[in-house]
Amino acid sequence: MAEHFLEDSVSAVAVRIDAEHPSGLVFDPHQPQLRVTDLGVVRGDGVFETMLARDGQVRKFEAHLQRLARSARLTEIGIPPAESWRSAVQRGLDEFRNRGGLPDEVTIRLTATRGVDGEPASDDPAFAGTYWALLSPVSEEIKAKRGAPIAVTLLDRGHDATAAERAPWLLLSAKTLSYAVNMAALRWAKSHGFDDVIFTTSDGHILEAPTSTVLLLRKNPDEPQRPTLLTPILETGILPGTTQGAIFTAAERAGWNLGYGPLTPEDLYTADHLWLVSSVRLASPVARVEDRELAVDPTWTQKLNEFLNQDLPVQHPTT
Ligand SMILES: Cc1ncc(COP(=O)(O)O)c(C=O)c1O
């Protein structure tokens, strides 16, 4: 589902940000724009965010901008201020309106690269790199797949649970452009009969999926309406998911219990329900992990998606 980041390339809208156009300039995404010496392409040296706009409203906009700023800090890439990104996105949405129609759902990808090696685009570090927003309608295929049960394989990420702390240069929790490994893991899963992947550490902790966060539900027999939602701790170096964070805020308001665990495969197998969640796919129920079947209940999936519709501020234990 997530491998085609440009979901409807024909009608995509692109807006670049630079020192001369700090509020964004619409450009044609089908014409060459990027220099071949841009470190974003040469080394995957950049950061990005993928967001969902419904009916012209960007969901969790603030959380995405904060995470973009965090990734930029971790990679030491200067980026334009939040208001530049906000107005560039607004220009992109307006461009759809000017063309005769804003799609009900739009995927918005914000990208910032370190720019061309040795040739900063501006003396102002906030505009020294290359920056753009790409907006594309969410395809019918993606919409149709939402809520469909998936099978997941557990794949070793090749480092232990302490790597994020020991080796910060690995940028484990930054959303960098270097997603080739994540895409390779997805291809591996597909060629072995699975839809998606949950990465584990070499010492048996659950991390995250290549483009989603892991969320599990344990029922509470004494209070059926107040189950517990669990997600892996961030200290292992996973990306702080905005979808998980928004679900947690709404769930807490609804009186549910929340937990952040060092989770193991056994926790997944014994969960009452399990999902992979992210901004565009929303909540995908997991029906199988390796050869272990898991119960799928559309009512709970719908509940999580209702929580997301509330578009509440994102909640994490540490950020
Ligand atoms: C590695 C990884 N984890 C988790 C997520 C989910 O993040 P969000 O819920 O903010 O979309 C993503 C999103 O692309 C991701 O790439």
Side-chain angles (χ1 to χ4, degrees):
M1 174 178 295
E3 56 273 42
H4 304 290
F5 73 84
L6 191 55
E7 283 143 16
D8 181 347
S9 63
V10 177
S11 43
V13 166
V15 189
R16 76 162 194 257
I17 301 170
D18 55 38
E20 286 74 47
H21 309 96
S23 309
L25 179 73
V26 172
F27 68 90
D28 180 354
H30 305 106
Q31 296 301 319
Q33 298 286 340
L34 211 56
R35 289 175 57 184
V36 293
T37 42
D38 194 294
L39 291 167
V41 250
V42 177
R43 298 201 194 277
D45 197 358
V47 295
F48 76 105
E49 280 297 317
T50 304
M51 323 187 284
L52 176 68
R54 265 221 174 128
D55 301 321
Q57 295 297 316
V58 182
R59 283 189 171 180
K60 309 180 261 87
F61 208 164
E62 184 57 33
H64 283 289
L65 288 174
Q66 282 183 14
R67 194 170 64 186
L68 184 72
R70 177 177 180 276
S71 299
R73 254 195 329 274
L74 290 170
T75 51
E76 298 175 38
I77 292 174
I79 60 165
E83 58 264 31
S84 283
W85 294 103
R86 282 187 184 277
S87 76
V89 167
Q90 201 49 54
R91 278 181 191 217
L93 294 170
D94 287 344
E95 176 68 11
F96 275 114
R97 293 188 185 98
N98 296 341
R99 287 183 186 180
L102 178 67
D104 58 345
E105 292 194 38
V106 177
T107 298
I108 303 172
R109 196 176 151 100
L110 310 179
T111 306
T113 84
R114 199 179 299 282
V116 175
D117 204 6
E119 268 184 66
S122 163
D123 293 338
D124 181 348
F127 293 94
T130 310
Y131 316 100
W132 72 92
L134 183 62
L135 297 84
S136 54
V138 175
S139 67
E140 290 310 315
E141 191 195 343
I142 297 253
K143 288 181 189 168
K145 274 191 185 168
R146 283 191 182 135
I150 55 172
V152 164
T153 183
L154 301 179
L155 295 184
D156 186 348
R157 183 84 204 191
H159 61 73
D160 69 19
T162 66
E165 209 181 323
R166 278 186 298 107
W169 52 87
L170 292 178
L171 301 173
L172 288 179
S173 68
K175 200 166 166 65
T176 74
L177 292 177
S178 311
Y179 261 50
V181 167
N182 298 27
M183 297 301 109
L186 282 175
R187 286 196 300 277
W188 176 280
K190 283 179 187 161
S191 66
H192 289 78
F194 297 92
D195 303 297
D196 216 314
V197 172
I198 293 177
F199 285 124
T200 59
T201 61
S202 52
D203 49 351
H205 289 261
I206 297 298
L207 290 168
E208 62 191 336
T211 65
S212 314
T213 307
V214 174
L215 200 63
L216 67 84
L217 182 144
R218 284 192 192 136
K219 288 182 181 164
N220 180 354
D222 300 327
E223 287 180 281
Q225 296 314 311
R226 300 186 64 215
T228 300
L229 278 182
L230 284 157
T231 198
I233 46 166
L234 294 174
E235 283 72 8
T236 46
I238 60 172
L239 192 75
T242 64
T243 310
Q244 167 269 317
I247 289 174
F248 266 37
T249 305
E252 187 170 58
R253 289 193 191 177
W256 293 24
N257 304 299
L258 306 178
Y260 302 90
L263 299 177
T264 64
E266 201 51 33
D267 291 315
L268 305 189
Y269 300 142
T270 56
D272 288 304
H273 300 294
L274 177 66
W275 294 269
L276 297 187
V277 302
S278 70
S279 296
V280 178
R281 89 188 300 175
L282 309 179
S284 292
V286 178
R288 182 162 66 89
V289 179
E290 299 296 345
D291 58 357
R292 311 274 286 257
E293 307 280 336
L294 279 164
V296 164
D297 180 344
T299 323
W300 289 111
T301 301
Q302 198 186 335
K303 189 76 209 158
L304 298 188
N305 286 328
E306 279 167 27
F307 284 160
L308 283 174
N309 287 341
Q310 296 176 27
D311 197 18
L312 294 174
V314 164
Q315 181 173 137
H316 292 300
T318 54
T319 31

